[in-house]
């Protein structure tokens, strides 16, 4: 095989040399002849390297030497037989590899080795191009999800005796958090006699929610926990 390639290279070089001589590269008897010879040698070397690369690439492609980095497919599969899975997931049993390839090629699909360590190895008939596309798409979606903002729980403290202006200020802060996609936990710590009238604190919570409900939904209703009442508001802003 490689001897034939050598003959092709030698013939190509002779043709290129003949063309170069006819163009007068070696007719010069002055110092410029040296430059012409150097130029010819450089062009000849480049031409030879390109020819070798192309022939080697074609040979490897035909012989299945170029191995897919992710999966062994089609003519890259060298085992004698495989446990074959059809395009729709049907178990087709153990079949000769050549027969499995013919089945895949006949359907316009690929034969992909999915479990090389099996006895015999397991191969599946599939559209490998589509399979790779879906894999790349899935990886991109996973990376995108990882980059998405992590929802944080922001804490805002109110009081049972909070005045209107102070509540509006805290509501503005809560709206900023909700618009950014975070959650807000509003809490009130009951002091002294306030423990006997927790409904006052609950009413404050309800008034606070009215100021932020445009950007949030009640995820957890006001609930008494020890000496504190708290509620959780989730963002309803769509990104």
């Amino acid at each position: 095989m490689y001897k034939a390639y050598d003959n092709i290279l030698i013939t190509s070089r002779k043709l290129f040399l003949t063309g170069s001589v006819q163009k007068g590269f070696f007719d010069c008897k002055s110092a410029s002849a040296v430059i012409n010879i150097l130029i010819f040698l450089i062009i000849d070397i480049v031409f030879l390297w390109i020819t070798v690369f192309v022939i080697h690439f074609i040979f490897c492609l035909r012989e299945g030497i170029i191995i897919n980095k992710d999966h062994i497919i089609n003519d890259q599969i060298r085992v004698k037989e495989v446990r074959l899975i059809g395009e729709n997931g049907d178990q087709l049993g153990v079949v000769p590899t050549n027969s499995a390839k013919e089945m895949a090629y006949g359907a316009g699909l690929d034969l992909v080795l999915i479990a090389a360590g099996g006895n015999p190895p397991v191969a599946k008939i599939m559209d490998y191009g589509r399979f790779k596309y879906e894999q790349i798409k899935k990886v991109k979606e996973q990376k995108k999800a990882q980059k998405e903002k992590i929802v944080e729980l922001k804490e805002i403290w109110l009081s049972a005796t909070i005045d209107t202006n102070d509540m509006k200020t805290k509501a503005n802060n809560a709206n900023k958090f909700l618009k950014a996609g975070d959650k807000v936990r509003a809490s009130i710590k009951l002091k002294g006699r306030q423990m006997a009238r927790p409904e006052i604190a609950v009413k404050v919570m309800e008034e606070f929610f009215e100021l932020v409900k445009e950007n949030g939904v009640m995820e957890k209703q006001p609930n008494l926990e020890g000496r504190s009442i708290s509620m959780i508001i989730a963002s309803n802003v769509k990104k």
Side-chain angles (χ1 to χ4, degrees), residues 13 95 121 144 146 152 165 169 171 180 183 188 219 223 228:
R13 187 171 181 178
V95 301
K144 183 179 179 181
Q146 291 174 355
E152 297 181 13
N165 290 332
T169 300
K183 295 182 179 181
I188 295 177
E219 185 176 271
N223 184 43
S228 298

Side-chain angles (χ1 to χ4, degrees), residues 79-82 84 92 94-107 111 125:
V79 295
K80 293 182 179 179
E81 59 183 17
V82 295
L84 187 61
L92 304 179
V94 178
V95 301
T97 302
N98 288 336
S99 298
K101 291 178 184 177
E102 290 176 1
M103 292 171 64
Y105 298 161
L111 183 66
I125 296 174

Side-chain angles (χ1 to χ4, degrees), residues 104-122:
Y105 298 161
L109 300 172
D110 303 291
L111 183 66
V112 182
L113 206 61
I114 59 175
N119 186 23
V122 180

Side-chain angles (χ1 to χ4, degrees), residues 9-25:
L9 292 177
I10 294 171
T11 303
S12 300
R13 187 171 181 178
K14 286 180 178 180
L15 290 172
F16 193 89
L17 179 60
T18 302
S20 301
V21 171
Q22 290 176 350
K23 291 178 181 178
F25 274 113

Side-chain angles (χ1 to χ4, degrees), residues 60-73:
C60 291
L61 192 62
R62 287 183 60 189
E63 296 298 320
I65 297 174
I66 300 175
I67 302 298
N68 188 285
K69 292 182 179 180
D70 299 321
H71 298 89
I72 300 175
I73 66 173

